[in-house]
Amino acid sequence: MSPFIDSQKQRVLVVDDQPINLKILGQALSGDYQVLVASNAEQAIQIAMTQQPDLILLDIIMQGMDGYQTCRTLKQDPRTVNIPIIFSTSMDSEEDEVKGLEAGAADYITKPYNLALVKARVRNQMQLKKKTDLLEKLVSLDGLTEIPNRRYFEQQYEVEWRRAQRAGSNLSICMIDIDFFKQFNDNYGHGAGDICLQRVAHILLDNAKRSGDLVARYGGEEFVVLLPDTELEEAKVVTERLRASVEALAISHHFSACAKVVTISAGFATCRPGFGQDKGLLLEEADRYLYEAKQQGRNRVRGDVYSLGVG
């Protein structure tokens, strides 16, 4: 971690195996950005994956893995693919620049540094990143509930599935359905139905408390909760807490056949993803347990380990 940290600023990761270059760029950029530093490719990749900088300034010629391979590695990982990379190098031929851009770099700066030019190019990339992040946020949110939508869930599910494969850790999913929601809409009106969906969405969000947990609207009155690194018993506790939190909202629903307030049914499933497995099967298993919960009277949770996925 760099000594130039300020948590309120955008983050730039400077990668160079020469300490003097790290110092020059760190001091030049620390007034406007958080500056993280790495002295080799392996360290840079680890920081990029865990700290998620907004931009990477990457030296090309380094001991061990060079900048081209580092760039390709970052662009092949879903966690880092969208981080823009500016190559930093003493090589200034057109062929070198083309090679860098083909590897996935967004821009190119040459040594010795013209710090005014470095700052301008970093600023341009940071402004573009802000706009890109804003657009990505807008297309990733459900317009009604303002929580993540199905598209965003599917992206994150892919990321967490791969992470669990590499780590050999468990992954849990919870599928949720609002009980007798059609009857709620038919009798109270679609305006009240929209408010109900918003309130349920946000109470689910409030009760999925860990930073890695994800609550998303899956479609209609159905929600999905992604629980990384979560064992079966913990998934059961979380799912039951979600069910109880919705019931505790006490939204009147006199047309429900299972309660006088709005409730949910939920199914959850846990697995340890193996390489070559279909991640869609875990979703199907959670959905099967949701159906079981509804068949057994609703306002309840059902779930288990997905045995084919446990190593």
Side-chain angles (χ1 to χ4, degrees):
M1 185 71 69
S2 165
F4 308 107
I5 290 295
D6 178 342
S7 62
Q8 300 304 310
K9 299 176 181 178
Q10 285 181 290
R11 289 174 291 184
V12 56
L13 170 60
V14 180
V15 187
D16 200 301
D17 60 2
Q18 298 299 314
I20 186 61
N21 291 330
L22 294 177
K23 183 176 181 180
I24 290 170
L25 292 174
Q27 290 178 342
L29 298 172
S30 61
D32 298 309
Y33 311 103
Q34 295 181 41
V35 179
L36 309 172
V37 297
S39 58
N40 57 61
E42 291 75 15
Q43 187 182 14
I45 292 168
Q46 181 63 26
I47 292 174
M49 289 181 177
T50 57
Q51 300 294 319
Q52 292 290 300
D54 297 288
L55 176 68
I56 299 174
L57 274 177
L58 178 60
D59 188 28
I60 290 179
I61 302 176
M62 297 186 292
Q63 294 292 324
M65 186 186 298
D66 67 16
Y68 295 125
Q69 182 58 45
T70 305
C71 182
R72 284 190 286 268
T73 299
L74 292 168
K75 292 302 177 181
Q76 289 168 1
D77 193 294
R79 293 170 291 179
T80 53
V81 64
N82 293 321
I83 302 174
I85 294 173
I86 297 178
F87 270 138
S88 165
T89 182
S90 57
M91 302 184 297
D92 59 0
S93 72
E94 290 185 359
E95 291 79 6
D96 292 323
E97 186 169 352
V98 169
K99 185 176 179 181
L101 296 174
E102 287 178 344
D107 206 345
Y108 218 87
I109 58 173
T110 57
K111 302 175 184 177
Y113 298 121
N114 177 330
L115 292 180
L117 182 60
V118 171
K119 289 181 177 181
R121 294 198 168 183
V122 168
R123 182 172 61 250
N124 288 343
Q125 289 298 325
M126 287 296 199
Q127 290 173 346
L128 181 59
K129 183 67 161 54
K130 278 186 177 180
K131 293 176 181 178
T132 301
D133 287 349
L134 178 58
L135 288 172
E136 181 67 23
K137 182 178 180 180
L138 290 174
V139 300
S140 297
L141 290 181
D142 175 61
L144 175 64
T145 63
E146 296 183 336
I147 68 170
N149 58 21
R150 182 169 179 169
R151 173 183 178 273
Y152 185 74
F153 162 76
E154 289 174 346
Q155 291 175 344
Q156 292 305 112
Y157 185 26
E158 176 72 23
V159 170
E160 295 299 342
W161 182 268
R162 292 186 182 183
R163 193 199 309 273
Q165 285 178 328
R166 289 190 298 268
S169 59
N170 285 308
L171 183 64
S172 296
I173 282 184
C174 172
M175 298 292 292
I176 293 170
D177 198 61
I178 299 178
D179 296 324
F180 300 105
F181 187 71
K182 181 180 185 303
Q183 288 80 353
F184 187 96
N185 259 343
D186 289 347
N187 288 279
Y188 293 107
H190 289 278
D194 288 349
I195 294 171
C196 175
L197 285 169
Q198 291 168 342
R199 293 186 65 189
V200 169
H202 286 276
I203 200 66
L204 294 176
L205 197 64
D206 289 344
N207 281 274
K209 298 180 178 180
R210 301 180 311 172
S211 60
D213 297 343
L214 172 69
V215 177
R217 187 179 180 194
Y218 202 65
E221 67 271 26
E222 193 169 23
F223 298 87
V224 61
V225 185
L226 183 62
L227 302 169
D229 196 21
T230 303
E231 305 280 349
L232 177 68
E233 287 305 313
E234 187 178 4
K236 181 178 181 180
V237 169
V238 171
T239 308
E240 175 57 30
R241 182 171 70 235
L242 297 176
R243 185 208 62 77
S245 70
V246 172
E247 188 173 26
L249 283 173
I251 302 171
S252 294
H253 189 356
H254 294 291
F255 304 92
S256 169
C258 67
K260 295 302 181 184
V261 296
V262 168
T263 59
I264 60 172
S265 298
F268 64 93
T270 299
C271 81
R272 186 172 301 153
F275 289 96
Q277 282 189 304
D278 180 1
K279 67 182 185 296
L281 297 178
L282 182 62
L283 271 171
E284 291 178 9
E285 191 75 355
D287 199 50
R288 184 177 71 81
Y289 280 114
L290 169 60
Y291 179 78
E292 184 177 300
K294 293 164 76 170
Q295 289 294 107
Q296 293 181 6
R298 307 191 189 227
N299 191 22
R300 64 194 66 215
V301 304
R302 289 290 179 269
D304 205 342
V305 169
Y306 172 44
S307 59
L308 294 179
V310 176

